[in-house]
Amino acid sequence: MKILVLISKVPDTTAKISFTENNTKFNTEGVQFILNPYDEWYALVRGIELKEANGGSVTVLNVGRADNDPIIRKALAIGADDAVRIDTDDLDALNVAKQIAAYAKDQNYDIILCGKETIDYNGSQVGGMVAQLLGLPYVSLATKLDLNGDTATLERDIQGGSEVIEVKLPFVASAAKGMAEARIPNMRGIMAARTKPLNVVQPVDAANATEVVEYSLPPSKQGCKFIDPDNVEELVELLHTEAKVI
Amino acid sequence: MSVLIYAEVSNGKLAKNAFESINYGAQTAQKLGTDAIALVLGEASDAADAGKYGVSKVLNYTGEAFKNLVPEYAVAAVVDAIEKTGADVIVFPHDYTGKAVAPMLAAKLDAGLVSGAVELPDNSNGFVVKKAVFSGKAFAHTKINTDKKIISVLPNSIGKNVGDGSAEVETVSFDVSGISTSYTVKEVKKESGEISLTEADIVVSAGRGLKGPENWGMIEELANVLGAATACSRPVADIGWRPHHEHVGQTGIAIRPNLYIAIGISGAIQHLAGVNGSKTIVVINTDPEAPFFKACDYGIVGDAFEVVPKLIEAFKKFKAEHQ
Ligand SMILES: Cc1cc2nc3c(=O)[nH]c(=O)nc-3n(C[C@H](O)[C@H](O)[C@H](O)COP(=O)(O)OP(=O)(O)OC[C@H]3O[C@@H](n4cnc5c(N)ncnc54)[C@H](O)[C@@H]3O)c2cc1C
Ligand SMILES: Nc1ncnc2c1ncn2[C@@H]1O[C@H](COP(=O)(O)O)[C@@H](O)[C@H]1O
């Protein structure tokens, strides 16, 4: 069984969000970068569990520059067998998906897993695009994934409930909470990761379909209005007359 | 040229969030000086109501294939509708359905997609869509460079304006037998009765400050009085005090209700990431230094076990007076 897990690098969840160069660039000063939680906790760990149960290999793939190597090594330390980095900037989901599809199309992966979304751009785009480009079915926002021979059964959330999807290998799925339990790399994993292969691949030609022209921040809250706990009627009144939400 | 809106169906009717996408598409069409047409896949008895939200026409694709969402069929139907209407802007909801279909369509059409739009596109200099990024902590004004433009709208970001009018509904029977896919929907599980968290206008949420699962009775009662959905912080779901599907935040569900009431939740940044799009936030916490007080509109420094029962009475009284 050949499994591919798509991994991305994002700012730590507690990072302060600010911008430079006339609000056109994310200010990375003092920001720590991590492996995208959905990719790490759910997609990667489930991929490794499936390999452990069925044999085969887990490859992690990142589209990005050399400064992403530390997060790629982390994925190897958690238990991926080898890694591929496609050496280009990841500024547009469709471009990233084209890079991934161009690499994956001759590799015969049985399962391609990605995260539900990146926690910085919140796109939820790359997985579906890769599936379409490779002509594979796409199960998005999966919270569960089980295999039975060449058939997979997945659960995905829907409005007000969930649904059970059956699909034949090969397929692409995006992983949401529930799919697996996060794993912490151990010392042996970290040591082993140093010598696992990380292949750097050249990108294919592709244009960016979208580009961020500017960032902005939401208006800050006016400041909290405190209400006396013995006078909760005032809160009800304010919610009705001032905030107009009830 | 026109704007095509993917209007979602739920239980044989247009879904609640369909009206917001329709509104968004109709207003975009008006801005661009063109027509808006809604696309409805599957049976929707109230499809003509789309007219009230600003479209003049509905294309209703019917047949067994659209009973549940099979992304490949949905993509094929949208492509067919684009050919019929000459649409070059396609609008989706940024939800469980939009996230499944819109990226596939974008790759199929080789078109730029901006997901999670919070405002109408700005066409004064190119075609720029403002979208939420960093879990609602910032916005990215994203330009689409391709001729066809796909947008998915973040729920509860532009609201729903009802007018009057009725749309002409054209039924299209669409043959999917030429599309081969192994994707099959085996079962649909609906949580009946409960108000869905992402669609709720009001959400009552509680955290570790409540001390134990046995104390959620008053939270449910408060939610009941307000017709609200219930949510919780992550540790509460992790310890099993509340079901996982109630967990909101960075790693849980992101919500944007009109009113979010947070009780016994400290307001950690990962929690805020999932709720800071709410229009109005009320915080009840014993600790005046709780970070949540810096990110809310109304605050009560007090013990939930005293404040919440009083609040339930006050809301009941309000309801009785405003029937
Ligand atoms: C990578 C990562 C992702 C995370 N994702 C999420 C996420 O998605 N969602 C999320 O919620 N958290 C998330 N967290 C956890 C987050 O950092 C906080 O730990 C969590 O939100 C705290 O939950 P809490 O406010 O319920 O509990 P606590 O932090 O323990 O706060 C309890 C609060 O209750 C107050 N209190 C106590 N008694 C009372 C009383 N009688 N009446 C009123 N108030 C009282 C206290 O003053 C305190 O402020 C994440 C953390 C990490 C590291
Ligand atoms: N640069 C990248 N390289 C590899 N995989 C990526 C990259 N960007 C996004 N992905 C994958 O696609 C998922 C969805 O990303 P997004 O569409 O940006 O929200 C992520 O969770 C990753 O699994």
Side-chain angles (χ1 to χ4, degrees):
Chain A
M1 168 138 324
K2 278 184 80 176
I3 299 170
L4 180 70
V5 180
L6 309 178
I7 58 168
S8 50
K9 185 184 79 170
V10 294
D12 178 31
T13 48
T14 55
K16 186 166 164 33
I17 307 302
S18 66
F19 304 99
T20 58
E21 296 179 42
N22 265 330
N23 288 326
T24 58
K25 293 250 150 29
F26 174 60
N27 184 1
T28 56
E29 210 186 293
V31 171
Q32 207 186 332
F33 285 90
I34 58 169
L35 194 50
N36 187 40
Y38 295 106
D39 310 356
E40 175 186 335
W41 302 350
Y42 309 130
L44 177 59
V45 175
R46 190 67 192 129
I48 293 168
E49 287 169 354
L50 290 174
K51 176 197 106 166
E52 287 167 353
N54 300 282
S57 64
V58 174
T59 301
V60 288
L61 187 159
N62 172 257
V63 178
R65 298 296 188 179
D67 54 354
N68 289 2
D69 288 352
I71 65 115
I72 299 175
R73 290 280 172 213
K74 172 147 192 216
L76 293 169
I78 292 170
D81 298 288
D82 58 1
V84 175
R85 181 169 58 78
I86 304 177
D87 193 25
T88 185
D89 298 319
D90 65 330
L91 297 172
D92 166 59
L94 190 52
N95 192 336
V96 167
K98 285 179 181 174
Q99 302 300 336
I100 295 168
Y103 177 82
K105 71 177 192 310
D106 306 320
Q107 302 284 332
N108 298 316
Y109 292 111
D110 297 295
I111 301 177
I112 300 179
L113 294 173
C114 66
K116 171 183 120 164
E117 64 179 28
T118 43
I119 64 166
D120 52 357
Y121 197 68
N122 306 128
S124 256
Q125 299 189 6
V126 171
M129 290 171 169
V130 169
Q132 176 70 41
L133 293 169
L134 294 173
L136 298 177
Y138 175 50
V139 187
S140 55
L141 311 171
T143 54
K144 211 168 167 220
L145 160 56
D146 290 312
L147 273 186
N148 185 359
D150 67 346
T151 304
T153 305
L154 299 100
E155 262 184 56
R156 71 184 293 270
D157 285 337
I158 54 171
Q159 206 64 261
S162 61
E163 58 185 10
V164 180
I165 308 295
E166 213 175 80
V167 72
K168 290 250 183 291
L169 269 48
F171 66 93
V172 180
S174 76
K177 190 187 162 197
M179 175 136 355
E181 294 291 334
R183 282 190 188 182
I184 297 161
N186 57 24
M187 208 53 215
R188 237 181 73 214
I190 295 167
M191 296 303 286
R194 293 193 190 154
T195 53
K196 286 179 179 171
L198 192 174
N199 304 311
V200 179
V201 173
Q202 288 313 303
V204 293
D205 253 352
N208 287 338
T210 61
E211 62 185 289
V212 174
V213 290
E214 195 193 354
Y215 289 98
S216 60
L217 294 168
S220 53
K221 288 266 176 201
Q222 292 291 306
C224 174
K225 212 175 244 184
F226 283 98
I227 288 140
D228 186 338
D230 290 322
N231 189 14
V232 296
E233 290 75 19
E234 187 191 345
L235 174 66
V236 176
E237 185 61 25
L238 286 168
L239 290 176
H240 181 56
T241 55
E242 190 176 74
K244 298 190 170 56
V245 289
I246 59 168
Chain B
M1 179 171 147
S2 64
V3 175
L4 184 70
I5 303 135
Y6 186 105
E8 212 174 334
V9 175
S10 159
N11 298 326
K13 289 188 155 180
L14 292 176
K16 197 178 156 213
N17 65 11
F19 297 114
E20 189 172 29
S21 324
I22 294 170
N23 249 191
Y24 185 99
Q27 290 176 37
T28 300
Q30 206 167 34
K31 210 168 164 182
L32 301 174
T34 178
D35 298 328
I37 297 144
L39 169 67
V40 173
L41 302 185
E43 308 294 335
S45 55
D46 59 348
D49 280 357
K52 291 190 191 147
Y53 296 83
V55 298
S56 53
K57 190 166 175 182
V58 174
L59 289 176
N60 189 359
Y61 284 56
T62 54
E64 268 302 293
F66 302 116
K67 204 166 149 258
N68 292 305
L69 175 71
V70 176
E72 283 97 331
Y73 296 161
V75 168
V78 179
V79 169
D80 186 71
I82 291 170
E83 279 164 15
K84 280 202 171 65
T85 57
D88 37 28
V89 176
I90 302 101
V91 176
F92 284 87
H94 190 51
D95 66 357
Y96 302 111
T97 301
K99 288 173 189 179
V101 182
M104 294 185 84
L105 181 73
K108 171 108 185 168
L109 300 176
D110 201 14
L113 160 64
V114 176
S115 49
V118 294
E119 277 177 17
L120 295 183
D122 174 0
N123 59 337
S124 60
N125 184 10
F127 191 96
V128 177
V129 185
K130 180 175 172 183
K131 83 173 287 284
V133 289
F134 295 105
S135 308
K137 283 180 268 180
F139 301 103
H141 303 252
T142 307
K143 189 166 161 191
I144 306 184
N145 293 327
T146 51
D147 293 341
K148 296 253 188 261
K149 295 165 173 68
I150 309 176
I151 303 170
S152 65
V153 184
L154 197 65
N156 216 358
S157 56
I158 68 144
K160 295 169 270 258
N161 289 315
V162 203
D164 38 35
S166 166
E168 171 209 338
V169 181
E170 182 186 328
T171 308
V172 182
S173 60
F174 186 66
D175 182 14
V176 297
S177 58
I179 305 160
S180 94
T181 175
S182 67
Y183 189 112
T184 38
V185 180
K186 283 282 162 194
E187 191 188 342
V188 177
K189 306 176 190 169
K190 289 266 181 194
E191 288 146 19
S192 59
E194 282 175 54
I195 298 165
S196 128
L197 197 44
T198 45
E199 285 195 357
D201 289 327
I202 303 180
V203 173
V204 177
S205 186
R208 211 145 50 175
L210 277 236
K211 315 276 190 282
E214 66 280 7
N215 297 326
W216 249 263
M218 62 178 187
I219 301 300
E220 279 166 359
E221 191 180 351
L222 178 58
N224 237 326
V225 173
L226 289 168
T230 48
C232 68
S233 68
R234 176 166 148 200
V236 161
D238 283 352
I239 352 167
W241 291 358
R242 296 299 292 176
H244 273 292
H245 63 78
E246 281 196 0
H247 156 202
V248 292
Q250 180 107 56
T251 44
I253 301 174
I255 54 170
R256 303 167 60 77
N258 285 329
L259 174 59
Y260 183 71
I261 304 182
I263 302 163
I265 301 176
S266 57
I269 192 145
Q270 297 91 354
H271 184 85
L272 296 181
V275 303
N276 60 8
S278 310
K279 297 232 161 60
T280 299
I281 297 179
V282 173
V283 168
I284 300 168
N285 197 305
T286 41
D287 176 9
E289 301 297 321
F292 224 146
F293 284 122
K294 295 206 169 56
C296 73
D297 302 278
Y298 303 103
I300 297 182
V301 179
D303 186 337
F305 296 99
E306 289 164 21
V307 176
V308 174
K310 282 193 221 160
L311 208 48
I312 291 170
E313 289 317 310
F315 278 124
K316 275 190 183 157
K317 201 163 142 243
F318 173 83
K319 286 269 145 146
E321 285 163 9
H322 292 81
Q323 277 303 334

